[in-house]
Amino acid sequence: MVKILDTTLREGEQTPGVYFDGHIKLAIADLLDEIGIDIIEAGHPMVTPEIHEAVYQLARHGYRAKIAAHARSLQRDVDLALECGAQFIGIFYSVASERLGQVFRKDLNSAIDQIVNVIRYAKNQNPDLLIRYTPEDTVRSPFENVVQASCAAVEAGADIISVADTTGFMAPGTEHNMYDFIARLKDALAQSGHQPMIAVHCHNDRGLALANALDGYRAGAEIIDASVLGLGERAGIVDLAQLLLALKEVFQVQNNCRLEKLLPLYQLVSQYAGLPIPDNFPIVGQNAFTHCAGVHTHAAVQNPVHYQSLDPSLVGRNMSVALDHMSGISSVQWALDQLGLEYTTDLLKRILIHIKQIGQKGRTVDFHELKHLVEWCKKHPLK
Ligand SMILES: [Zn+2]
């Protein structure tokens, strides 16, 4: 069964201006755990003492999910993660020749020595620790470097190799696609006698993060990274709700996640990240299950499947109809039925005229206003 790693608290805090206080981190982790997320990446303890404290608190909270800490390939970062009691540690280090030369002033072999020493050290400190090694910018690094470093990491004790599309470079169906990359990597590792779990971490720079992650899943990735609202560096990463729904509805993955908890989670994260959920955001956006055009509404009220490929009740939501200049008679009828109000065809027509006029001013009529409009139209028949 594919595992989900949520990194709202680590990658998500790499969104400019986003920081969650310790008690908010705990509230977010509570919901992630209730939903059934397998791994909660809680932060990089080296960054600030507050993040260290939050990782420490989350690791001791008794969640069903494993609590993960991020670490550079340095013993002092590993010590901090261990001090926090993290059950999972993600160690990253580049193996791209140019970056090694220009940024780290190292050659590949000394980089691999550093990775191996740190992983061996971490595993010796705690044999139960799950260790993930990420060759940063995996997909744009020389493939042979990735294989060499991954094999060495696994031999040193790494359980997971994460394939990071750090710049959102991959595109399904092209020469650079996640499916082929992961299939090729699994083959190369197997030829050396290694079968680590494979994780995928996909950035959304070109809007393809989810498509790439699902491509990786089809190739056998066992862990997929995501975050609430896709928060993360630049354009962020895979959105958690979209990933969970795609796995369930498109790939029939039965992981028993409590999807009805997604909306409260998104509302919480949105509030404390200071970033509103866009109205048209899939699954959790205000308009995600709202029909507007009269033609759509007419068909959708008969049977929502005509204009919905996702059942809103999966996430504890209901289908809705917006009342504005695009509405038709069936939109008004639906709304009055919802309110339990009686009407005649003539009244429906009169209300619709008003709704269209209001809609052209650039707003919708909500149920509260609709009640007033019904009263007005009853008393003011059209001449
Ligand atoms: Zn990332």
Side-chain angles (χ1 to χ4, degrees), residues 10-11 201 203 233 237:
R10 196 278 298 169
E11 174 88 48
H201 182 86
H203 273 262
E233 285 276 347
I237 62 165

Side-chain angles (χ1 to χ4, degrees), residues 235-344:
I237 62 165
V238 173
D239 173 65
L240 177 68
Q242 292 171 35
L243 173 66
L244 291 179
L245 269 290
L247 288 174
K248 181 177 173 61
E249 292 294 286
V250 184
F251 293 97
Q252 280 75 51
V253 172
Q254 302 297 330
N255 54 13
N256 296 321
C257 282
R258 294 181 63 191
L259 302 174
E260 73 280 6
K261 297 272 180 186
L262 282 170
L263 192 56
L265 171 68
Y266 273 65
Q267 287 163 340
L268 179 71
V269 170
S270 162
Q271 182 180 352
Y272 290 98
L275 296 168
I277 303 171
D279 285 348
N280 64 342
F281 209 74
I283 301 151
V284 293
Q286 173 79 30
N287 298 341
F289 301 104
T290 300
H291 303 277
C292 189
V295 177
H296 285 222
T297 306
H298 180 68
V301 296
Q302 314 282 333
N303 184 350
V305 81
H306 293 306
Y307 283 101
Q308 284 177 189
S309 68
L310 278 178
D311 179 355
S313 69
L314 283 171
V315 288
R317 301 189 67 186
N318 295 308
M319 186 201 92
S320 171
V321 168
L323 299 175
D324 67 7
H325 63 293
M326 300 298 283
S327 297
I329 284 289
S330 56
S331 315
V332 186
Q333 200 172 358
W334 176 88
L336 294 187
D337 285 343
Q338 297 296 306
L339 290 171
L341 297 176
E342 298 199 347
Y343 48 83
T344 61

Side-chain angles (χ1 to χ4, degrees), residues 72-346:
R72 293 169 299 175
S73 188
L74 295 172
Q75 192 177 316
R76 64 177 181 275
D77 278 28
V78 169
D79 282 336
L80 288 175
L82 292 167
E83 210 175 279
C84 290
Q87 299 119 25
F88 179 119
I89 184 168
I91 295 169
F92 59 97
Y93 204 89
S94 172
V95 290
S97 315
E98 278 184 13
R99 265 174 69 84
L100 283 177
Q102 289 170 6
V103 182
F104 298 103
R105 311 211 179 283
K106 272 186 187 265
D107 63 16
L108 179 65
N109 285 333
S110 46
I112 290 177
D113 279 348
Q114 184 175 336
I115 295 160
V116 162
N117 287 336
V118 167
I119 292 174
R120 201 173 279 144
Y121 172 77
K123 204 69 171 185
N124 278 338
Q125 303 301 306
N126 177 3
D128 295 332
L129 190 66
L130 270 176
I131 300 178
R132 177 190 68 198
Y133 166 59
T134 306
E136 229 189 335
D137 203 0
T138 320
V139 298
R140 295 195 308 173
S141 302
F143 188 72
E144 56 283 8
N145 291 12
V146 170
V147 173
Q148 195 184 331
S150 299
C151 285
V154 174
E155 283 157 22
D159 307 279
I160 301 154
I161 298 297
S162 178
V163 175
D165 184 8
T166 308
T167 64
F169 170 71
M170 302 297 251
T174 68
E175 188 189 346
H176 301 289
N177 72 83
M178 197 53 103
Y179 183 94
D180 289 347
F181 190 95
I182 287 185
R184 209 172 139 215
L185 180 61
K186 282 176 88 91
D187 272 357
L189 294 173
Q191 276 169 24
S192 301
H194 301 308
Q195 288 184 311
M197 280 192 274
I198 299 292
V200 270
H201 182 86
C202 299
H203 273 262
N204 204 30
D205 298 69
R206 299 183 188 183
L208 295 172
L210 178 61
N212 287 327
L214 294 173
D215 226 14
Y217 166 69
R218 289 195 307 111
E222 289 117 329
I223 300 176
I224 305 177
D225 293 6
S227 69
V228 174
L229 286 165
L231 293 179
E233 285 276 347
R234 305 181 310 281
I237 62 165
V238 173
D239 173 65
L240 177 68
Q242 292 171 35
L243 173 66
L244 291 179
L245 269 290
L247 288 174
K248 181 177 173 61
E249 292 294 286
V250 184
F251 293 97
Q252 280 75 51
V253 172
Q254 302 297 330
N255 54 13
N256 296 321
C257 282
R258 294 181 63 191
L259 302 174
E260 73 280 6
K261 297 272 180 186
L262 282 170
L263 192 56
L265 171 68
Y266 273 65
Q267 287 163 340
L268 179 71
V269 170
S270 162
Q271 182 180 352
Y272 290 98
L275 296 168
I277 303 171
D279 285 348
N280 64 342
F281 209 74
I283 301 151
V284 293
Q286 173 79 30
N287 298 341
F289 301 104
T290 300
H291 303 277
C292 189
V295 177
H296 285 222
T297 306
H298 180 68
V301 296
Q302 314 282 333
N303 184 350
V305 81
H306 293 306
Y307 283 101
Q308 284 177 189
S309 68
L310 278 178
D311 179 355
S313 69
L314 283 171
V315 288
R317 301 189 67 186
N318 295 308
M319 186 201 92
S320 171
V321 168
L323 299 175
D324 67 7
H325 63 293
M326 300 298 283
S327 297
I329 284 289
S330 56
S331 315
V332 186
Q333 200 172 358
W334 176 88
L336 294 187
D337 285 343
Q338 297 296 306
L339 290 171
L341 297 176
E342 298 199 347
Y343 48 83
T344 61
T345 307
D346 181 60

Side-chain angles (χ1 to χ4, degrees), residues 340-359:
L341 297 176
E342 298 199 347
Y343 48 83
T344 61
T345 307
D346 181 60
L347 181 65
L348 288 178
K349 285 179 185 167
R350 277 186 277 138
I351 294 170
L352 181 60
I353 290 169
H354 285 278
I355 286 175
K356 282 182 173 290
Q357 285 168 352
I358 294 167

